[in-house]
Amino acid sequence: MSEINATVQEEIDLIVKAARGERFHFIVVAYDHLSLIDRVKAALIEKYPERRMTILKVGAEPNTDFIQNILDTPAGLVFIDDFELLLKNEALALGFNQKRDLITKLAIALVCFVPLDRKLLQECPRKIPDIWSVRSLLAELRGYGTGKDWMFIINDFKREPYRNYTLHEKEEEIKALQKRIASISEDTNAEGLVAQMHQHLGELYYTIGMYEEAIAETKTALLTFERIEDREGQSQSNNILGVIELTKANYVEALYYFEKNLAIQRRISDRSGEISTMNNISQIYKAKGDYDTALHYLEQSLNIWKQIGDRSGEGSIWNNISQIYVYIGNYDKALYCLNQSLAISQQIGDSYGKAVALNNLSQLYSAKGDYDTALRYLGQSVDIQQQIGDRSGEGTTLNNISQIYVAKGDHNTALRYLEQSLAIQQKIGDRSGMCATLHNMAALYLNRKNDYQKFLELEELAYNTAKEIGDVNAIYKVGSYFGYVLCEHNAIERGLPILQNAYHIGLQAGYSDVEEVADLIKKYSSNAAN
């Protein structure tokens, strides 16, 4: 079985090794970027040029001729690019499974590609149990590791479009508000007005990545709103605090503020505000890997946004729905949703939303191997983010640019962008972003620069950050790779507990590759005992 979470090239090397010998091999390759299919094929053809290559398609309307086409191929390399269509067709899957004895007599390497979809892979042992039992390898190819590839729009502040101000305009607005507060703070009849100004300051500080200042200003506003029983002000302040904590990946605190806000919004019949809060709660479920619940909240929100005619809210929700489809591997639906989001952002002049949509569109094009188009979109996105002072978004975009250069083989340029990304994330306290960037830097130092000590320094920081913020997916992904590399470098006493922790997390979360972690644990436990 594959040693998971190695680099893409290491995984491809394992696939090539698994296809050795003129006998039957069943190799399943789960991918998250379409360009990886061609990379696998090219590697196999280069290694085994003497072997005949056959490409078969299940097709949108599969029939039993497909299985006969396999049986008519006595030897060579057989590629099936759309194997997921077979798995989704109960009759065809049954027929394929029943032909196990005939198929396994062929001298072929049957290489089947499927999107990296946890639920789809979990169905394999049930749908094709006999064929599945003789698989040579299940390889999972993640083109960009655990990088923070996709950006999720948080429905944040409705009253003033601060997020579309330029950085200079925001700084000037902060100075003006501070001066105004100082001039009227002693007036007891102006408590509500002063609280609103503190709240505006909180919003502004948030949009330029000064999170601690944003929290302090917003809590000052909230205390006043609670004292004077201003429910609308309380709702807005709770929402801002929830958004800030969500951005910092403090999910427990974020949920606390959002639930407080939701209760107030329902009490005052603020329907549009209620939808925004539901959207934000959906992201917490997304972070936990509960995509069905996240999608349920988002689809409810989208329908209501359309009913009340809020174009900004609708654009944000389209973007967020696209990200759920990305995570479950449905790129066609993701592209449709992103185009909807981009069109709305352009129509209403929402610079922030446009930057996010461009960023996410770039990731779909990179998945297809169209790196030039991806870089063009990312360049447009980062230009907008710098103009409006969106530091968090800028950090994410720089990270994404780095991974395009990794894919292109320009590792020095990739490292330069990663360093820029990390500097921003450290400055503004974006710990979720830091985790992804540190992990990407660690992998680059290990696999491209052969610097094991630097890898240890960066990957340990990434792992500890993931644990601090409680990001289960990051703990699992970073921990699996970190533990694996440690054990491979004879640090089994240190690496094995990390692998075991990752296994327990993966088992509880239902990750499809958790048994691969179990295999690693068995392997290194055996090595430690000898």
Side-chain angles (χ1 to χ4, degrees):
M1 296 295 288
S2 164
E3 295 179 334
I4 62 152
N5 292 310
T7 64
V8 168
Q9 189 56 52
E10 288 171 337
E11 288 285 290
I12 292 175
D13 290 343
L14 287 174
I15 295 168
V16 171
K17 290 178 182 177
R20 285 182 299 188
E22 296 283 343
R23 56 187 177 83
F24 179 77
H25 304 282
F26 179 41
I27 301 169
V28 178
V29 181
Y31 60 89
D32 70 346
H33 288 70
L34 293 171
S35 60
L36 295 173
I37 295 177
D38 290 335
R39 286 184 62 181
V40 171
K41 290 179 181 177
L44 285 165
I45 293 168
E46 180 181 6
K47 182 66 176 178
Y48 307 113
E50 74 285 356
R51 294 167 73 173
R52 174 185 174 186
M53 180 186 71
T54 303
I55 298 177
L56 299 178
K57 294 282 187 182
V58 178
E61 297 180 1
N63 55 60
T64 54
D65 291 341
F66 167 77
I67 298 173
Q68 187 59 48
N69 290 337
I70 297 176
L71 295 173
D72 289 342
T73 310
L77 302 170
V78 179
F79 300 113
I80 303 176
D81 293 1
D82 56 353
F83 192 66
E84 73 274 13
L85 296 179
L86 180 143
L87 296 173
K88 293 176 181 179
N89 185 302
E90 293 284 349
L92 192 61
L94 178 63
F96 178 70
N97 188 65
Q98 290 175 339
K99 298 292 184 179
R100 166 191 157 165
D101 291 343
L102 292 175
I103 293 174
T104 55
K105 289 178 181 179
L106 303 172
I108 63 172
L110 185 60
V111 185
C112 301
F113 297 93
V114 297
L116 188 54
D117 179 341
R118 187 194 320 159
K119 291 183 178 179
L120 186 66
L121 293 174
Q122 287 174 335
E123 286 288 286
C124 289
R126 181 184 70 81
K127 292 192 172 183
I128 50 172
D130 296 329
I131 290 283
W132 189 252
S133 67
V134 297
R135 69 192 183 282
S136 304
L137 178 72
L138 168 60
E140 296 194 6
L141 302 185
R142 293 176 174 84
Y144 298 113
T146 59
K148 192 177 177 182
D149 293 336
W150 304 92
M151 300 177 66
F152 199 94
I153 294 179
I154 302 168
N155 278 107
D156 39 21
F157 317 127
K158 299 177 295 177
R159 191 170 51 258
E160 295 287 345
Y162 288 135
R163 68 186 189 183
N164 290 319
Y165 279 27
T166 66
L167 179 59
H168 176 71
E169 288 171 337
K170 290 173 184 176
E171 291 171 342
E172 290 301 310
E173 185 72 8
I174 288 171
K175 292 177 184 177
L177 283 168
Q178 290 171 333
K179 184 176 180 179
R180 179 65 172 153
I181 288 171
S183 69
I184 64 172
S185 59
E186 300 301 321
D187 185 353
T188 56
N189 294 321
E191 277 189 301
L193 178 60
V194 172
Q196 288 178 6
M197 291 180 181
H198 281 293
Q199 188 170 269
H200 289 329
L201 280 173
E203 297 177 13
L204 283 161
Y205 279 127
Y206 167 76
T207 64
I208 60 176
M210 297 178 66
Y211 297 148
E212 297 310 313
E213 290 84 351
I215 290 171
E217 293 290 347
T218 308
K219 284 185 175 179
T220 298
L222 179 59
L223 287 173
T224 301
F225 286 135
E226 289 176 340
R227 186 172 63 253
I228 65 177
E229 298 184 353
D230 182 338
R231 286 200 177 98
E232 184 176 348
Q234 292 172 43
S235 172
Q236 292 164 348
S237 293
N238 278 305
N239 185 54
I240 295 168
L241 290 167
V243 166
I244 297 168
E245 297 295 354
L246 183 55
T247 302
K248 295 176 68 178
N250 294 331
Y251 301 126
V252 174
E253 292 87 347
L255 190 58
Y256 166 76
Y257 286 118
F258 287 145
E259 287 180 341
K260 279 184 65 179
N261 188 26
L262 195 59
I264 295 170
Q265 289 166 330
R266 287 172 175 167
R267 194 178 308 139
I268 64 177
S269 301
D270 180 5
R271 200 173 186 209
S272 64
E274 184 180 343
I275 302 165
S276 294
T277 303
M278 288 170 58
N279 173 72
N280 292 340
I281 290 173
S282 78
Q283 192 186 5
I284 295 175
Y285 283 105
K286 169 178 167 283
K288 293 180 177 181
D290 187 350
Y291 301 130
D292 289 340
T293 302
L295 194 59
H296 173 72
Y297 273 103
L298 290 169
E299 288 175 341
Q300 280 187 311
S301 298
L302 178 64
N303 289 334
I304 300 174
W305 280 130
K306 287 180 176 179
Q307 290 171 15
I308 65 178
D310 188 316
R311 297 286 281 163
S312 177
E314 183 184 345
S316 298
I317 296 294
W318 274 119
N319 179 84
N320 294 350
I321 291 175
S322 79
Q323 305 316 290
I324 304 300
Y325 282 123
V326 166
Y327 275 90
I328 63 178
N330 192 331
Y331 291 163
D332 288 340
K333 283 191 175 180
L335 182 60
Y336 172 80
C337 294
L338 282 172
N339 282 327
Q340 294 291 317
S341 178
L342 181 61
I344 291 171
S345 297
Q346 291 172 327
Q347 289 167 10
I348 66 176
D350 180 2
S351 299
Y352 175 86
K354 181 179 178 182
V356 173
L358 287 167
N359 199 311
N360 290 335
L361 277 167
S362 78
Q363 302 308 297
L364 287 179
Y365 280 99
S366 70
K368 298 177 180 180
D370 187 349
Y371 301 131
D372 291 338
T373 300
L375 283 173
R376 186 169 70 251
Y377 279 131
L378 287 169
Q380 293 175 28
S381 179
V382 81
D383 285 345
I384 294 171
Q385 288 160 340
Q386 289 172 344
Q387 183 182 21
I388 66 176
D390 179 11
R391 299 288 278 164
S392 177
E394 183 184 354
T396 297
T397 302
L398 291 170
N399 191 352
N400 293 343
I401 291 173
S402 78
Q403 298 310 290
I404 300 294
Y405 281 106
V406 168
K408 290 166 70 73
D410 187 347
H411 305 123
N412 290 331
T413 301
L415 185 59
R416 187 168 70 250
Y417 278 105
L418 284 169
E419 289 169 344
Q420 292 176 28
S421 174
L422 183 63
I424 291 172
Q425 290 158 347
Q426 288 174 327
K427 184 174 182 179
I428 68 176
D430 180 3
R431 293 186 294 166
S432 178
M434 286 169 56
C435 180
T437 301
L438 287 164
H439 175 70
N440 287 341
M441 291 177 72
L444 191 59
Y445 273 103
L446 179 67
N447 299 306
R448 306 304 177 190
K449 295 183 176 293
N450 200 30
D451 190 338
Y452 178 59
Q453 292 305 316
K454 190 67 174 179
F455 163 82
L456 288 178
E457 174 190 337
L458 295 169
E459 193 73 336
E460 186 165 23
L461 277 173
Y463 185 59
N464 289 338
T465 301
K467 290 194 296 182
E468 287 170 7
I469 65 178
D471 188 329
V472 172
N473 184 63
I475 295 171
Y476 177 72
K477 300 303 181 186
V478 176
S480 297
Y481 187 45
F482 191 25
Y484 157 70
V485 174
L486 286 169
C487 290
E488 281 293 294
H489 285 77
N490 298 317
I492 295 177
E493 289 186 3
R494 186 181 177 194
L496 192 56
I498 295 175
L499 280 174
Q500 290 168 335
N501 183 53
Y503 172 74
H504 290 303
I505 290 173
L507 193 65
Q508 186 175 14
Y511 292 139
S512 62
D513 56 2
V514 71
E515 289 307 314
E516 301 285 352
V517 181
D519 289 342
L520 290 178
I521 291 170
K522 291 177 184 177
K523 171 184 174 180
Y524 295 121
S525 297
S526 176
N527 291 351
N530 294 332

